[in-house]
Amino acid sequence: MSIKPIAATALLLASAVSLSACSTLKGAGIGAAGGAGVAAATGGSVEKGAAIGGTGGAVVGTVAD
C-alpha cells in the first residue's frame, strides 16, 4: 500500500477538523483549496480533489453553523 493515499486522507481529515468553526461558504472555499492542494501534492486529479474538499468543507461548515 502506498503512503500517498494515507497521507492524503490524513490531510483531508485535518482540514475538515480545522474547518469546524467556519460557515458553509467559507468552509467550502477552504475545503476546495485544501483538496486541490492535497491532490496536486499526491499526484491525483486536482479537479476531483477540489470537488471532494469543497463538499467536505461545506458539510463541516453547515454542521458548525
Side-chain angles (χ1 to χ4, degrees), residues 3-63:
I3 191 73
K4 286 184 180 181
I6 295 169
T9 301
L11 287 172
L12 286 175
L13 286 173
S15 296
V17 171
S18 68
L19 292 174
S20 63
C22 293
S23 66
T24 302
L25 291 176
K26 187 174 179 183
I30 295 170
V38 169
T42 60
S45 169
V46 175
E47 293 85 7
K48 288 181 183 177
I52 293 168
T55 302
V59 169
V60 171
T62 300
V63 171

